[in-house]
Amino acid sequence: MHVRGFTRHASSGIAGKTRGTFAGLIEKIPYLQQLGITAAELLPVFQFDAQDCPTGRVNYWGYAPVSFFAPHQAYSSRQDPLGPVDEFRDMVKALHRAGIEVLLDVVFNHTAEGNHQGPTLSFRGLENGAYYILEQDRSRYANYSGTGNTLNANHPIVRRMIVDSLRYWVEEMHVDGFRFDLASILARDASGHVMPHPPVLWDIESDPVLAGTKLIAEAWDAAGLYQVGSFIGDSWKEWNGRFRDDVRSFFRSEEGSVAPFADRLVGSPEIYSHKEREAEQSVNFVTCHDGFTLNDLVSYNQKHNEENGEGNRDGMNENRSWNCGVEGPTEDPAVERLRNRQVKNFLTVVLLSLGVPMILMGDEVRHTQRGNNNAYCQDNETSWFDWTRVAQHADLHRFVTLLIARRLQRDVEHERQRVSLSQLIREANKAWHGIRLGQPDWGACSHSLAFTAEIRKQKLRIHLILNAYWEALDFELPPEDEKGNSWRRWIDTALEPPHDIAPWQEAVPVSGQTYRAEARSVVVLFAALDSVGNALSLLRSSWPVGTY
């Protein structure tokens, strides 16, 4: 979530003075409660340089820190010296009262001082060689961040500053956790080499004040270091970039995408099982602030960043997107139906996969940036949450709300007991299928999959059908149990609203031995379970080769 973007749009209904501020966000907390989210991860709120962008534009995202100890003044409706501090704390308290945690996106990998031509604001004038990683001749800055400079995070003074900053936001501002931007930079030494045991990361993890604080790493940097699955430490969760890529590939029907997709669905054990960590180490997402929105992921084949003033050279070129047949907005109802279906497919997988689900602000109402996949300098309606879309896409909003509501009812005993992902998978009664029971097709040309699992404590069987093929397919269904408990349909993304998803208690029975999954759709069925260890036990060996 972007603090300013959430309420800055005129359609927010927030008074002009408080639109785009911490106070404005407080007024919209009921929306977050109704949606059902349990934590808000805020884009940078440290004081940043709004001029760090192309001429005539404004730095909107805030990844240009000036101070690591001050809330951004422009996000406060009060401009007196204590206004931003008091208003930020009021926001945190209000979110906590609503049962919502507050996580901050923190930028300890670079500052707004930029390269050798950048402004001198603080550290450059204090002790340039201590605070920054310099090239060998010490006349230029190492640029592992892609923004001109790199903080020398493992220098003793810089380490102390980073930990002091985190302590301040926990002790004085009462936040619940942090997401570390380009966190892999914190593993580099003064020469830029990757350290096996980076002192600053262990300082953060072992600090008693930060005990119990959520720590999330963006486990890569702009110079090619990629540590998803191998980030240092025992308490860090990770943005799972491979989840994003493999789920995108599956739903745009890429060859060879079924086996990786299956791994992501069950917590990415290929990546994480070696650590014997819990499933929640993986933060699963398909979209974030950096890249296409979910609407644009299914509406554009190419980025359209011309408004940024950089000749469309900025932003990622490879987005694994598919426009469903038309580039950009269309009035073709068939294309629009397909796009809506694809959006629901993505959201269903994000919310139901093992791990921590994360969605991007506005994706629940198909927010669009008109194909801009790098809107860091678009402090305007390109980026702002358009509240008229809540009514315009009420069917999708309802879909997401019901998905989250069911997620909140899941069994969390394995989290309290710190059961590892590997143990969870070993002990689960589960089976993979293709269109025939127990016969999954892991081949390169396969585009469909089914999965059955038992949730014993809730006495449920769950059956997922995932059809990324461009034609409808008939899938065999597991038989009823000994008590004759039949399957009930919770989700079928191919159906028109409100039949696409039902309130859990109102799911309709499904008859027959097969279920027709329409092209590019996701189906979720469930059945009561009165006896454990039914026919699933006969099918448990059919997992992707080499994955488990």
Side-chain angles (χ1 to χ4, degrees), residues 248 251-253 292-304 319-332 334-340 342-343 346 366 371 520:
R248 288 185 178 193
F251 280 119
R252 74 168 187 172
S253 306
F292 279 148
T293 67
L294 194 48
N295 175 84
D296 293 358
L297 185 68
V298 301
S299 303
Y300 294 90
N301 283 350
Q302 308 294 332
K303 66 182 182 181
H304 297 270
N319 298 285
R320 303 195 189 203
S321 61
W322 178 51
N323 64 17
C324 297
V326 177
E327 187 76 355
T330 180
E331 295 182 0
D332 186 327
V335 173
E336 268 300 288
R337 281 195 300 272
L338 177 55
R339 288 176 177 176
N340 223 37
Q342 287 283 74
V343 166
F346 282 117
R366 287 187 58 178
R520 307 185 190 277

Side-chain angles (χ1 to χ4, degrees), residues 149-169:
N149 66 50
T150 306
L151 269 182
N152 187 12
N154 285 291
H155 187 284
I157 295 297
V158 185
R159 284 165 53 192
R160 171 81 177 271
M161 178 189 67
I162 290 173
V163 173
D164 282 351
S165 171
L166 296 172
R167 285 178 166 183
Y168 170 74
W169 290 95

